[in-house]
Amino acid sequence: MPATAESVDTIWFTRCPVPTAGGLAYALGRLATRYADLGVEVGILQDAPLEIARHHYDHDLVGLIREGGNVPAIAARAEGARTRLVGLTWIDEGQSIVVRPDSAISSPADLRGARIAVPGWAATRDTSHARAMALHGFKGALGLAGLTLDDVEFAEVPIDPVIPPGRVREERAAPRFRELDELAAGRVDAVYVKGAAALEAARARGAVVGVDLDAVPWRRARVNNGTPRPITVHEDLLRSRPELVVEFLVETLRAADWAAGDPDGLREVLAAETGSGAEGVLLAYREGFHRTLHPTLDDERVDLLRVQKAFLLRHGFLSADFDLDSWIDPQPMRLAYERLSSERP
């Protein structure tokens, strides 16, 4: 018999191998401690049996809280998933267009006519996030020079089957970067990379940064799968057990407060969370990032998520459109901030 919100005795938390306030709260032991006080266990979905872990993408699990890439979250909502958006983070994490050392590409304008690596389609829209990331990354870079995706040549790169969520830890230990191999072999001119592990892999293959998207002051140029990153919950859990959602947000905010005061401790946690070494963390996350982990639902982040949804719809990653504003429930975040405000001196 499927679990109902009233019968939930385990909160399942899922995230991608990237910096998240929730992942930090879990790594610090804060989530387990707080939920134990409420008589509820907390588990990582990637460690769950496959019949539960498969819900990483479809979010059809009442006790699931997901903090991860927006492509699967938006695609699941477009498919009719009964989720609500309760928070957004924005963490710049090393978005770049990388090229070979002998390349003439050193600015967005130089991308005109380039042969760019684009991962192929996965089995479903919500698991095709690698393709979506590359396309939007190149779109952002090209737009800085007044160019569009029509100004480059696509080179379709076959992708490996999507790793089942229950094997995410194995994938962290041995990630694949086929696009970078294509670049090194001279079959493509440019590759979009994001995050510590990818930047570390690019450097290991001798690639250099041709366009540094993080150096651009306009956030709109960096809208992608992880920017902004949504926190979503099942609407039944939010309706029947709202306190469990609020407690999750409170602990993420506390963890973000801790990170703001301990950047070295944060980098140590991120090396494990991202599956990269210390060098990758330094490459991807620049000075001051440790003060940016707090989730919000401010107008700027919502508007930037709206940009991402429109892009995904236009390029075939969504089965249908939906109203973004009706997806949002601001109440849990408001209560979480009120709780912390009352606790602070």
Side-chain angles (χ1 to χ4, degrees):
M1 182 177 179
T4 64
E6 293 83 356
S7 68
V8 164
D9 57 9
T10 300
I11 288 293
W12 291 101
F13 171 54
T14 185
R15 84 282 196 207
C16 303
V18 293
T20 63
L24 183 59
Y26 180 81
L28 295 173
R30 296 171 184 264
L31 290 179
T33 298
R34 183 62 190 122
Y35 280 125
D37 293 341
L38 299 172
V40 176
E41 295 184 6
V42 60
I44 293 296
L45 198 72
Q46 285 79 3
D47 297 334
L50 185 57
E51 63 268 20
I52 295 176
R54 65 184 177 84
H55 294 303
H56 175 82
Y57 289 105
D58 64 28
H59 208 136
D60 188 23
L61 180 65
V62 172
L64 179 62
I65 299 177
R66 187 183 191 280
E67 184 177 7
N70 60 47
V71 175
I74 294 173
R77 180 65 175 184
E79 292 280 355
R82 297 173 57 228
T83 60
R84 299 300 295 273
L85 174 65
V86 296
L88 290 166
T89 57
W90 183 286
I91 303 169
D92 284 317
E93 50 182 327
Q95 294 190 66
S96 298
I97 306 301
V98 297
V99 298
R100 289 184 299 278
D102 60 352
S103 173
I105 298 172
S106 60
S107 72
D110 297 333
L111 287 168
R112 186 190 295 272
R115 183 172 170 81
I116 68 169
V118 178
W121 285 96
T124 61
R125 291 181 175 91
D126 58 355
T127 57
S128 295
H129 45 278
R131 182 181 183 87
M133 288 168 59
L135 285 176
H136 213 167
F138 276 110
K139 180 179 183 293
L142 290 161
L144 296 172
L147 303 175
T148 72
L149 290 171
D150 291 333
D151 293 305
V152 293
E153 178 187 353
F154 290 6
E156 298 274 340
V157 179
I159 62 170
D160 296 301
V162 173
I163 301 298
R167 288 179 51 203
V168 166
R169 291 188 182 277
E170 297 173 31
E171 177 67 359
R172 287 183 188 176
R176 305 174 185 90
F177 296 102
R178 286 192 174 185
E179 297 94 327
L180 290 173
D181 292 337
E182 293 293 296
L183 179 68
R187 289 188 285 269
V188 300
D189 301 316
V191 172
Y192 165 80
V193 296
K194 185 272 292 181
L199 284 167
E200 206 169 50
R203 175 170 287 192
R205 288 163 173 78
V208 298
V209 174
V211 180
D212 182 356
L213 288 169
D214 281 7
V216 176
W218 307 287
R219 281 187 166 185
R220 192 181 182 98
R222 297 194 296 282
V223 170
N224 212 299
N225 183 41
T227 41
R229 182 171 290 115
I231 302 173
T232 53
V233 301
H234 198 286
E235 63 182 27
D236 285 353
L237 181 68
L238 189 57
R239 182 181 65 250
S240 300
R241 300 292 304 276
E243 75 281 3
L244 297 181
V245 178
V246 173
E247 293 300 336
F248 175 86
L249 296 175
V250 167
E251 293 307 323
T252 64
L253 292 171
R254 286 176 175 151
D257 282 348
W258 172 85
D262 192 348
D264 291 335
L266 173 61
R267 288 189 179 95
E268 185 177 335
V269 173
L270 289 186
E273 284 285 293
T274 62
S276 74
E279 181 183 13
V281 172
L282 289 173
L283 283 171
Y285 309 110
R286 302 183 182 185
E287 188 63 33
F289 87 97
H290 61 290
R291 295 187 291 269
T292 67
L293 272 68
H294 296 79
T296 72
L297 282 170
D298 65 60
D299 291 343
E300 182 190 25
R301 291 181 185 178
V302 171
D303 286 343
L304 291 171
L305 187 67
R306 204 182 310 278
V307 170
Q308 173 73 338
K309 184 175 78 75
F311 173 86
L312 296 176
L313 184 65
R314 178 180 180 183
H315 290 276
F317 293 96
L318 304 185
S319 61
D321 198 2
F322 65 91
D323 180 58
L324 182 66
D325 293 320
S326 66
W327 189 28
I328 300 170
D329 189 333
Q331 178 78 345
M333 185 66 71
R334 183 182 65 78
L335 292 174
Y337 270 98
E338 287 179 357
R339 169 89 66 78
L340 283 188
S341 178
S342 69
E343 295 175 355
R344 289 168 178 156

